[in-house]
Amino acid sequence: MQNRFFLFLFFFFLLCALAIAPSALANNSCSEGMVFINGGTFRMGADSDRFPEERSADNVSVSSFCIDAHEVTNAEFAKFVKETGYKTVAEIPLSKEEFPDLSEEQRLAGSLVFQPPKEDAQTVAFLGWWTWTVGANWQHPFGKDSSIKNKDNYPVVHISYKDAEAYAKWIGKSIPTEAQWEYAARGGLDGATYAWGDQYSEKRANTWQGIFPFFNTKADGYKGLAPVGSFPSNGYGLYDMTGNVWEWTSDFFEVGHDRMAHQHNPITSDRHKSFDPKKPDESVLHVIKGGSYLCAPNYCSRYRPAARESESPDTGTTHIGFRLVKNSI
């Protein structure tokens, strides 16, 4: 009887080991700093009268892949620049041939910087909190007199899509598709409003508390960017899939996800179909995901896995960064 009992235990633990082994092997196939995401099927997007661009699609599936546990940091990007000599879009002046109507001063290198209104301001024009700032780039986030000293572990910002592509090629990874990004952001909670459940929490992500753009109560502990990993991870062990900085995806922007339904590893890859009715004068727009530290209940409210926005691929700002993926072997 005793021998039969030990034989039973042996086969029980053998079966458990066999069940765990594929997952363990898959995790080992991810490079350091990445997390293995087991492929699956989910409902992509969300149905809301407020955000028609999020219109959902059922039975969207993705293959297994690896994804960065956190956003690419200043230190990681600095290593890339040191080894390659790469200059970001924000560091290169606009060409006279491409922009003949601009003055030399207007063509100087720079980027868009968030500038909160003065404390005594009663009103501010829509998007008036963005200022084109000469000398602003990833090393000088708020202009030439600012720096990233002692901020190695903060997400790199002022990154255009082209910049993210260049870094991805150098490190041997790729920019995630929107489906990969959203599936990973949900952390296994298919259909939940937030990456942690259905109840908003100011302690779960770096977002804006208070009335945007006039004052931020800093209830989450940060007025601006936060170091990566400052908030709890989602169910897959990924940090800052909500808030902190918007993140690039490889998809071109279209309203809703109708084309995605019942598709495996879908991607909106036709640049000529890219269109956002909120930006009728712009074309060739990429999807950005995750919201940022500037998202507040009274403005944006896009600190959700389903949330999405469009962005020109040549644009970088103080609240756009990225993370990368690698297909699992």
Side-chain angles (χ1 to χ4, degrees), residues 93-96 99-109 132 134:
L94 301 177
S95 69
K96 186 175 183 179
F99 299 94
D101 296 330
L102 298 182
S103 66
E104 287 190 22
E105 184 176 358
Q106 291 173 319
R107 290 197 301 271
L108 292 174
W132 176 261
V134 172

Side-chain angles (χ1 to χ4, degrees), residues 24-57:
L25 288 172
N27 274 284
N28 289 337
S29 72
C30 294
S31 56
E32 184 179 358
M34 301 192 86
V35 173
F36 175 75
I37 305 297
N38 198 24
T41 302
F42 72 114
R43 185 186 183 202
M44 188 173 178
D47 295 315
S48 165
D49 292 337
R50 183 179 178 187
F51 302 111
E53 68 273 11
E54 298 175 13
R55 191 168 55 243
S56 68

Side-chain angles (χ1 to χ4, degrees), residues 71 155 157 225 243-247 289 291-293 319-322:
E71 297 143 343
V157 292
L225 287 175
N244 220 16
V245 296
W246 285 97
E247 299 179 17
K289 299 282 284 184
S292 78
Y293 69 94
H319 73 334
I320 296 181
F322 70 112

Side-chain angles (χ1 to χ4, degrees), residues 2-298:
Q2 189 176 24
N3 288 338
R4 291 176 64 186
F5 175 73
F6 283 118
L7 188 63
F8 168 79
L9 286 179
F10 171 77
F11 281 108
F12 174 77
F13 286 114
L14 178 62
L15 289 172
C16 288
L18 290 172
I20 294 171
S23 176
L25 288 172
N27 274 284
N28 289 337
S29 72
C30 294
S31 56
E32 184 179 358
M34 301 192 86
V35 173
F36 175 75
I37 305 297
N38 198 24
T41 302
F42 72 114
R43 185 186 183 202
M44 188 173 178
D47 295 315
S48 165
D49 292 337
R50 183 179 178 187
F51 302 111
E53 68 273 11
E54 298 175 13
R55 191 168 55 243
S56 68
D58 288 327
N59 298 319
V60 177
S61 64
V62 294
S63 300
S64 300
F65 60 97
C66 302
I67 186 169
D68 290 339
H70 56 71
E71 297 143 343
V72 175
T73 64
N74 287 323
E76 291 168 333
F77 199 79
K79 183 179 180 182
F80 159 62
V81 170
K82 182 178 180 180
E83 292 191 14
T84 64
Y86 181 84
K87 287 192 177 296
T88 61
V89 169
E91 296 173 279
I92 302 172
L94 301 177
S95 69
K96 186 175 183 179
E97 292 73 18
E98 193 173 355
F99 299 94
D101 296 330
L102 298 182
S103 66
E104 287 190 22
E105 184 176 358
Q106 291 173 319
R107 290 197 301 271
L108 292 174
S111 190
L112 288 170
V113 171
F114 172 72
Q115 183 65 51
K118 295 181 180 179
E119 292 185 5
D120 59 352
Q122 299 298 310
T123 60
V124 61
F126 180 63
L127 298 182
W129 42 85
W130 289 109
T131 303
W132 176 261
T133 304
V134 172
N137 55 57
W138 74 276
Q139 297 183 87
H140 307 284
F142 298 98
K144 61 183 179 180
D145 294 328
S146 65
S147 78
I148 54 173
K149 186 178 180 180
N150 299 323
K151 292 189 175 182
D152 284 354
N153 205 36
Y154 280 66
V156 65
V157 292
H158 292 292
I159 298 297
S160 72
Y161 188 84
K162 178 183 177 182
D163 302 330
E165 271 190 318
Y167 180 91
K169 183 178 180 180
W170 170 76
I171 205 167
K173 301 178 185 180
S174 57
I175 298 173
T177 66
E178 184 178 5
Q180 285 177 319
W181 195 99
E182 185 171 328
Y183 180 75
R186 291 184 177 278
L189 298 179
D190 189 15
T193 302
Y194 304 102
W196 53 83
D198 287 317
Q199 186 67 41
Y200 172 72
S201 172
E202 59 194 17
K203 300 296 184 180
R204 301 290 306 220
N206 185 16
T207 60
W208 184 288
Q209 294 86 49
I211 305 300
F212 182 89
F214 297 100
F215 65 91
N216 186 343
T217 67
K218 298 191 295 183
D220 62 6
Y222 297 91
K223 187 176 182 179
L225 287 175
V228 298
S230 296
F231 295 83
S233 66
N234 72 0
Y236 290 153
L238 303 175
Y239 295 92
D240 300 314
M241 296 300 281
T242 295
N244 220 16
V245 296
W246 285 97
E247 299 179 17
W248 289 107
T249 74
S250 55
D251 287 60
F252 290 104
F253 187 92
E254 290 184 11
V255 175
H257 300 296
D258 293 346
R259 297 175 185 270
M260 304 289 193
H262 308 288
Q263 299 297 309
H264 182 65
N265 291 333
I267 178 174
T268 304
S269 57
D270 189 344
R271 60 189 291 144
H272 301 294
K273 294 181 180 178
S274 175
F275 179 71
D276 185 348
K278 300 193 302 294
K279 303 175 181 178
D281 297 328
E282 297 185 51
S283 60
V284 192
L285 299 164
H286 274 276
V287 176
I288 54 174
K289 299 282 284 184
S292 78
Y293 69 94
L294 298 179
C295 282
N298 73 302

